[in-house]
Amino acid sequence: MNRSFLFFSLFFIHGSFLTLYAQEKLKKKIDLQEVMVDGKRYKNAMEGPLSVNYIHIDSLQKFQGGSLMQTLSRIPGVGSIGIGASQSKPQIRGLGFNRVITVENGVKHEGQQWGLDHGLEIDQYSVGSAEIIKGATSFMYGSDAIGGVIRLSSLKETQEDGLKGSLNLIAKSNNSTLGSSVQFIGKEGKFVFGGGLTHLNYGDYRVPTDTVYVYNYAVGLKDNYVRNTAGRETDFQLKGGYVTEKFSSIFYLSSYDTKIGFFANAHGLEPRGVNTALYDKSNRDILYPSQKVNHFKVINRNYIEKDDQKIWIDIGYQRNNRKEFNHYVAHGYMPAIFPDNMGIPEDLERLYDKDIYSINVKDQFTKGSHQITLGGSGEIQHNNIGGWGFLIPEYRQRSAGAFVHDQYSIDKNTILYAALRYDYNHNQSKAYRDWFESETADGAKEKILRADNISRTFNSLVWGLGVARQFGDIETKFNVGKSFRNPATQEFASNGVNYHYYSYDIGNKNLSPEQSYQADLSIGWRRETADITLTPFYNYFSNYIYLNPTSRFDQFHGAGNQIFEYSESKVRRFGGEINANFRLTKNWKLALLGEYVKSKQLSGAKKGYTLPFSPAPSVLIGLDWSPKISQYLNSTYFAIDCKWTAEQNNIVPPEDKSASYTLFNFRAGTDLKLNSSVVQLRFQIQNLLDTKYMDHTSFYRLIALPEQGRNIVLSARVPFGKN
Amino acid sequence: MNRISRSLLMLFFLTSVIACKKENERIDEEKPKIDLTAESAFPKQCSQIKRGESFNFQMHLSDNVALGSYSIDVHNNFDHHSHSTEVEECTLDPIKRPVKPFSIVKTMDIPGQPKDYVAQLKIDVPLDIDPGNYHFMVQVTDQSGWSTQRGISIRITE
């Protein structure tokens, strides 16, 4: 009821817009590349010597997946750690979690990146453009930017006065998604404004199997539905500001709100008994376990140009509130019955609540052939926890960084880049004691101290050196740099049991910031009918921090679970991507995309093993036909992607090997001319053959749950307002 | 100019060569095993245990290289929230509230890093504990940190 009401009211609101702004003249050409690897755009920027992929909203719509990272994962080198059909975490060249950062409108997005089953809290329909910067990017963004950066921007303001926008209607077959999103931007003199509203409502997703084997326990899936994975998402954005040629100040306000269920037959690795009569009653209800996440953000972006100085100041406030709900189940030494004097709801297993204040300042000026950028950043985080489960302690974190970047043009075709950055970080974590008594070695009972008051300060100095040079049609870029990541709180302070993973995780107080050295090369050859870009890289970590499963159990502190210790090891990684596009004839295009990454631990307890969540190599061949059909149907295309992913036999405990698979995706679309308006229709069949496969980097891989089956995605974008 | 391009190309080929170098270090990729099929294994899926008596936990553990340690954990499943890892379903009593549920957590190192080991423990079940559906969890690790879990449904009877 509710859903269809919203759906139609959105349609109705839009209808009134339509009559007001019905003079839509939409011109759109299909570029040779869906994803631009255009160096010129970044020639005079700090990203100059790095490989950058630029993705416009049109491509985002065309390739629309269940979540933003699934949409972006067609780009070679970009992957996602999927959590079901609607959530995912970013991964670049096999690095994810706290080793990749997401920046939205100039401010680093801070959620709960460390968590296995925490998705990226961003509304994909609000994104105007995305840039993927691969390589050592700590010199720009400080800690965590080891693997690279996903940089997202809102829709750009219009050049002329007026309002324009679009209504996006979305339907997906696999999990019966119904959704709509209105986005608009406008300008009135020097004032700009904009906003958006997105609502998605989806049911349980389906996999091409009726039985999943959680260990030997055969879980029957009713009509192939992955029990209890339905969800809702409601997001809004508002934007307003003042823009002149030499000054601008824009405020962005956004809220992301979602409630999603987790697969009910397994929580983590733990098989769960399920009352199937209750759970199979509806495919759209959300029972236990589930999560509720809200991410609220206010950003103020400022730009000031004075004489030859350009100054950027970005200020942000974010709040991330995450709740995980589940039936109380006594594990280990927990009391069999949940005490009623706890002051915690019985179904609140975990709560994470964090506030983040951040500021970034950049000043750019020219001195002779040098373009110099000075910058600084600061961030304060308050992290609170709640619920009866414990994984990470409360902590407060302060960090500050300063950098200098010099860009020197040797001649018209050659530019050198150099950067130096210093970062300071202070982390104060708060002691946490169990609320229940455990048995101790001497037979006594005690509430165990799970985390101590720990105060740690980290200092890091990183650098980057790069060159970009054009040789006729060939563009080359080379960059070497050092990146770093401060140990996350759970890595140095945790001492808790993750019952759903049968692990007792022990932090290491003495960990120092992770150091990574990376060399990146990019060779691009571009003609009107073809382009080929090769981007190999080599990466060395002198101390990669990871959670090492040991051969021991702990009877008392660990409640009988296997000890997992945060450890450091030397790691070597290398790989690369190929991104090639050919215009075969006027109407036919061919794309060849490939990615490869190999990691190896060179020291420590897991010497010889790879890193967890290593993506398997893959090759994608895409064929695209854009015929001219009629004057009422513009920019029509039919396309098919065939993606072959190799098996992943390089594993590390507790992973399983994953078999190779081939997936077909079909796409079609057209811009339908209706009176004076244009409706953009987009159609996709993802996993065309309903192939049953395991994605090695998926959260549910460990319990052998296959990925989403065939999914028909239909979306219609109805633009309104001035163009 | 030409020098730069040549050195860039060299670098590219060098990375490709490194990328193709074959390395033959042996790493352990096999998980240890818990054998529930042996005649002497106890408890098994749906086994019954009498309260007020003791029983012998016995299980054959094995690994391709070297075993590490094992752990057992017995918990009530009066609310049916846990599920065993096994094929066979056992009959469940109606959901009930625990009064004095039986629970035990025990971890043992396996001495001498053997490939095969028969784990044996004598477990006493007090007379005053709640009878009903219980969950018997066995975990074993090998020296590389691989682990295997088996969750067995058992019943404690009066």
Side-chain angles (χ1 to χ4, degrees):
Chain A
M1 291 307 120
N2 214 343
R3 180 187 68 247
S4 24
F5 175 71
L6 194 90
F7 193 71
F8 284 109
S9 46
L10 279 177
F11 203 86
F12 191 73
I13 296 167
H14 151 72
S16 41
F17 272 122
L18 247 190
T19 42
L20 276 173
Y21 307 97
Q23 330 88 336
E24 178 60 37
K25 275 174 254 141
L26 199 94
K27 273 183 280 140
K28 217 174 66 75
K29 68 171 203 299
I30 295 183
D31 288 312
L32 182 54
Q33 295 174 325
E34 296 295 353
V35 173
M36 295 206 279
V37 259
D38 186 359
K40 289 196 186 81
R41 182 187 286 267
Y42 300 99
K43 202 169 149 189
N44 287 310
M46 286 163 71
E47 301 79 12
L50 290 160
S51 145
V52 187
N53 298 113
Y54 177 88
I55 308 98
H56 187 252
I57 186 167
D58 290 335
S59 296
L60 291 174
Q61 198 201 9
K62 227 182 217 180
F63 295 101
Q64 190 187 129
S67 58
L68 177 66
M69 287 319 301
Q70 281 159 7
T71 304
L72 294 175
S73 63
R74 186 178 184 257
I75 302 166
V78 180
S80 68
I81 296 174
I83 309 130
S86 61
Q87 294 280 293
S88 63
K89 308 172 79 66
Q91 203 187 36
I92 296 179
R93 289 167 165 169
L95 296 182
F97 300 96
N98 290 40
R99 291 183 187 88
V100 169
I101 68 165
T102 307
V103 173
E104 193 182 24
N105 292 322
V107 172
K108 183 184 172 194
H109 180 87
E110 275 287 355
Q112 302 288 352
Q113 295 96 313
W114 56 274
L116 264 177
D117 49 3
H118 308 167
L120 181 64
E121 307 91 341
I122 285 177
D123 172 13
Q124 67 166 323
Y125 300 100
S126 72
V127 176
S129 64
E131 295 157 288
I132 315 281
I133 309 164
K134 294 174 205 153
T137 45
S138 274
F139 74 87
M140 286 192 274
Y141 290 106
S143 179
D144 302 9
I146 285 185
V149 184
I150 317 260
R151 202 160 59 189
L152 309 170
S153 307
S154 295
L155 282 168
K156 268 228 153 68
E157 50 270 8
T158 45
Q159 294 295 317
E160 288 159 32
D161 282 3
L163 178 135
K164 76 162 187 174
S166 62
L167 172 79
N168 214 332
L169 300 172
I170 307 123
K172 297 176 191 171
S173 68
N174 182 284
N175 61 355
S176 316
T177 301
L178 276 179
S180 57
S181 177
V182 188
Q183 300 287 328
F184 69 93
I185 41 172
K187 188 165 173 274
E188 199 59 61
K190 289 175 174 134
F191 292 95
V192 296
F193 54 93
L197 177 66
T198 301
H199 180 76
L200 296 170
N201 186 315
Y202 49 90
D204 298 344
Y205 72 98
R206 274 175 290 172
V207 290
T209 182
D210 56 10
T211 312
V212 177
Y213 293 89
V214 182
Y215 306 90
N216 298 318
Y217 156 45
V219 176
L221 301 180
K222 191 188 164 232
D223 301 329
N224 300 9
Y225 283 103
V226 182
R227 208 163 272 127
N228 197 45
T229 52
R232 326 265 178 269
E233 182 178 324
T234 308
D235 316 314
F236 71 86
Q237 302 83 32
L238 278 174
K239 163 182 159 176
Y242 181 84
V243 178
T244 66
E245 202 180 314
K246 303 220 160 180
F247 172 82
S248 75
S249 180
I250 303 177
F251 283 88
Y252 298 88
L253 185 142
S254 69
S255 165
Y256 168 95
D257 200 273
T258 180
K259 185 177 181 191
I260 311 170
F262 284 118
F263 180 38
N265 292 89
H267 195 16
L269 299 177
E270 186 193 6
R272 302 300 293 256
V274 167
N275 177 353
T276 44
L278 173 69
Y279 275 80
D280 293 344
K281 213 161 62 187
S282 162
N283 292 323
R284 297 195 92 90
D285 57 356
I286 303 168
L287 304 166
Y288 296 111
S290 67
Q291 53 174 332
K292 215 169 143 42
V293 181
N294 181 268
H295 198 101
F296 176 80
K297 227 184 246 191
V298 186
I299 292 169
N300 175 222
R301 298 201 81 174
N302 300 285
Y303 173 69
I304 305 151
E305 202 178 311
K306 202 163 181 285
D307 305 325
D308 69 334
Q309 303 256 338
K310 289 176 183 170
I311 298 167
W312 291 266
I313 304 169
D314 299 330
I315 305 164
Y317 166 75
Q318 297 172 69
R319 183 174 176 199
N320 185 289
N321 183 285
R322 177 183 176 81
K323 292 182 187 129
E324 296 175 18
F325 300 101
N326 195 11
H327 290 291
Y328 174 74
V329 176
H331 284 103
Y333 299 99
M334 285 155 77
I337 295 171
F338 188 73
D340 45 18
N341 58 354
M342 288 276 291
I344 300 171
E346 191 174 336
D347 65 347
L348 183 63
E349 182 169 17
R350 290 171 196 141
L351 171 120
Y352 302 104
D353 192 11
K354 74 194 281 185
D355 292 289
I356 309 101
Y357 303 86
S358 37
I359 180 164
N360 303 311
V361 181
K362 225 163 68 173
D363 177 7
Q364 195 176 79
F365 53 90
T366 320
K367 260 204 151 77
S369 311
H370 294 269
Q371 178 185 292
I372 294 165
T373 312
L374 300 174
S377 65
E379 193 194 76
I380 297 173
Q381 280 190 25
H382 295 159
N383 288 262
N384 296 316
I385 59 165
W388 46 262
F390 171 77
L391 281 185
I392 66 166
E394 282 185 17
Y395 66 97
R396 288 172 171 238
Q397 185 173 283
R398 288 197 308 265
S399 57
F403 69 85
V404 53
H405 183 266
D406 181 14
Q407 178 183 321
Y408 173 67
S409 304
I410 297 182
D411 57 45
K412 202 166 98 271
N413 288 322
T414 317
I415 303 176
L416 299 178
Y417 306 81
L420 192 67
R421 180 180 173 115
Y422 167 78
D423 279 273
Y424 160 89
N425 179 292
H426 178 79
N427 188 311
Q428 174 73 53
S429 60
K430 201 177 148 192
Y432 177 90
R433 207 175 267 283
D434 277 345
W435 54 269
F436 57 90
E437 287 182 326
S438 294
E439 205 179 294
T440 59
D442 52 20
K445 298 248 173 177
E446 177 191 302
K447 289 183 176 170
I448 293 174
L449 185 69
R450 287 295 173 193
D452 212 342
N453 283 310
I454 298 176
S455 169
R456 292 237 31 204
T457 302
F458 305 110
N459 295 287
S460 298
L461 190 69
V462 296
W463 48 268
L465 285 172
V467 58
R469 174 159 172 78
Q470 194 77 34
F471 301 92
D473 290 338
I474 298 174
E475 178 193 86
T476 56
K477 299 190 223 178
F478 181 67
N479 190 71
V480 279
K482 182 183 172 188
S483 280
F484 79 103
R485 179 179 73 86
N486 293 319
T489 308
Q490 78 275 14
E491 292 173 328
F492 63 80
S494 81
N495 179 27
V497 185
N498 195 348
Y499 292 101
H500 309 305
Y501 288 84
Y502 308 119
S503 71
Y504 166 45
D505 304 346
I506 306 179
N508 180 347
K509 268 183 212 178
N510 302 316
L511 292 175
S512 43
E514 211 170 57
Q515 324 252 353
S516 155
Y517 301 85
Q518 184 158 331
D520 277 279
L521 179 66
S522 169
I523 302 172
W525 173 80
R526 190 162 290 116
R527 286 272 172 87
E528 225 168 81
T529 52
D531 64 73
I532 301 169
T533 311
L534 289 169
T535 47
F537 75 96
Y538 183 86
N539 177 211
Y540 174 79
F541 277 88
S542 58
N543 58 329
Y544 185 97
I545 302 170
Y546 84 109
L547 192 54
N548 172 39
T550 70
S551 65
R552 291 165 288 133
F553 292 98
D554 188 296
Q555 181 167 339
F556 302 106
H557 281 64
N561 288 288
Q562 189 184 357
I563 300 174
F564 280 47
E565 286 171 337
Y566 282 101
S567 329
E568 293 177 309
S569 64
K570 293 183 169 54
V571 169
R572 183 191 66 204
R573 304 181 335 108
F574 56 80
E577 298 85 34
I578 179 168
N579 189 337
N581 299 278
F582 308 93
R583 190 175 287 284
L584 305 173
T585 67
K586 197 167 153 258
N587 295 332
W588 287 89
K589 308 190 283 191
L590 180 77
L592 179 73
L593 313 172
E595 58 186 16
Y596 178 87
V597 54
K598 185 152 188 186
S599 312
K600 189 174 176 181
Q601 303 195 38
L602 304 175
S603 69
K606 293 290 179 285
K607 188 178 172 190
Y609 287 92
T610 184
L611 294 176
F613 290 104
S614 291
S618 71
V619 177
L620 184 150
I621 294 171
L623 196 59
D624 194 308
W625 179 47
S626 342
K628 185 105 191 92
I629 295 178
S630 96
Q631 54 168 325
Y632 300 105
L633 298 174
N634 286 316
S635 308
T636 306
Y637 64 88
F638 299 89
I640 190 143
D641 277 355
C642 168
K643 185 175 180 178
W644 178 77
T645 305
E647 72 271 9
Q648 183 52 285
N649 288 333
N650 292 315
I651 51 168
V652 59
E655 294 183 342
D656 287 311
K657 292 182 180 181
S658 301
S660 67
Y661 55 90
T662 309
L663 288 183
F664 290 88
N665 286 346
F666 173 77
R667 290 185 305 279
T670 190
D671 293 357
L672 174 69
K673 222 171 139 187
L674 284 172
N675 299 327
S676 54
S677 193
V678 171
V679 178
Q680 291 178 11
L681 297 171
R682 300 287 176 264
F683 175 78
Q684 282 186 76
I685 307 176
Q686 294 163 348
N687 193 359
L688 187 69
L689 304 179
D690 207 25
T691 306
K692 180 180 167 184
Y693 69 101
M694 301 282 175
D695 180 349
H696 193 70
T697 65
S698 163
F699 168 67
Y700 285 123
R701 169 68 194 97
L702 284 179
I703 54 156
L705 180 65
E707 294 300 303
Q708 194 172 22
R710 186 183 298 120
N711 188 19
I712 300 171
V713 182
L714 196 61
S715 74
R717 187 159 66 150
V718 193
F720 57 81
K722 285 194 171 175
N723 198 24
Chain B
M1 311 302 106
N2 247 328
R3 259 212 331 261
I4 301 176
S5 69
R6 215 176 305 145
S7 43
L8 280 179
L9 271 175
M10 284 285 284
L11 196 104
F12 178 65
F13 285 124
L14 199 74
T15 2
S16 325
V17 168
I18 298 169
C20 296
K21 207 169 76 185
K22 196 94 199 130
E23 279 167 63
N24 290 318
E25 274 170 75
R26 279 272 169 86
I27 52 165
D28 177 17
E29 292 180 342
E30 268 181 57
K31 293 180 181 180
K33 291 187 179 78
I34 302 171
D35 185 4
L36 290 177
T37 57
E39 187 77 14
S40 56
F42 191 84
K44 290 183 178 176
Q45 177 76 346
C46 312
S47 283
Q48 300 212 356
I49 292 160
K50 218 171 161 203
R51 70 175 179 179
E53 293 179 2
S54 55
F55 68 93
N56 284 310
F57 159 76
Q58 182 164 327
M59 233 153 257
H60 179 217
L61 311 175
S62 64
D63 184 58
N64 62 324
V65 183
L67 287 162
S69 32
Y70 73 91
S71 156
I72 61 157
D73 181 324
V74 184
H75 259 94
N76 81 78
N77 191 25
F78 300 164
D79 58 0
H80 306 173
H81 276 134
S82 295
H83 199 287
S84 69
T85 59
E86 306 308 304
V87 183
E88 191 186 342
E89 295 281 351
C90 314
T91 39
L92 288 172
D93 293 341
I95 289 179
K96 70 173 180 185
R97 205 176 153 84
V99 181
K100 195 178 180 203
F102 179 57
S103 88
I104 184 170
V105 174
K106 205 130 191 95
T107 69
M108 305 295 279
D109 288 334
I110 298 169
Q113 309 191 357
K115 284 188 179 184
D116 286 279
Y117 184 73
V118 180
Q120 276 175 313
L121 277 178
K122 186 167 171 273
I123 296 166
D124 300 320
V125 185
L127 188 62
D128 59 349
I129 55 102
D130 298 344
N133 301 115
Y134 281 82
H135 218 231
F136 197 110
M137 180 89 190
V138 188
Q139 301 187 65
V140 60
T141 59
D142 70 7
Q143 292 294 332
S144 311
W146 291 107
S147 64
T148 297
Q149 292 83 19
R150 294 300 277 270
I152 304 159
S153 295
I154 58 166
R155 175 191 294 274
I156 296 185
T157 57
E158 285 179 61

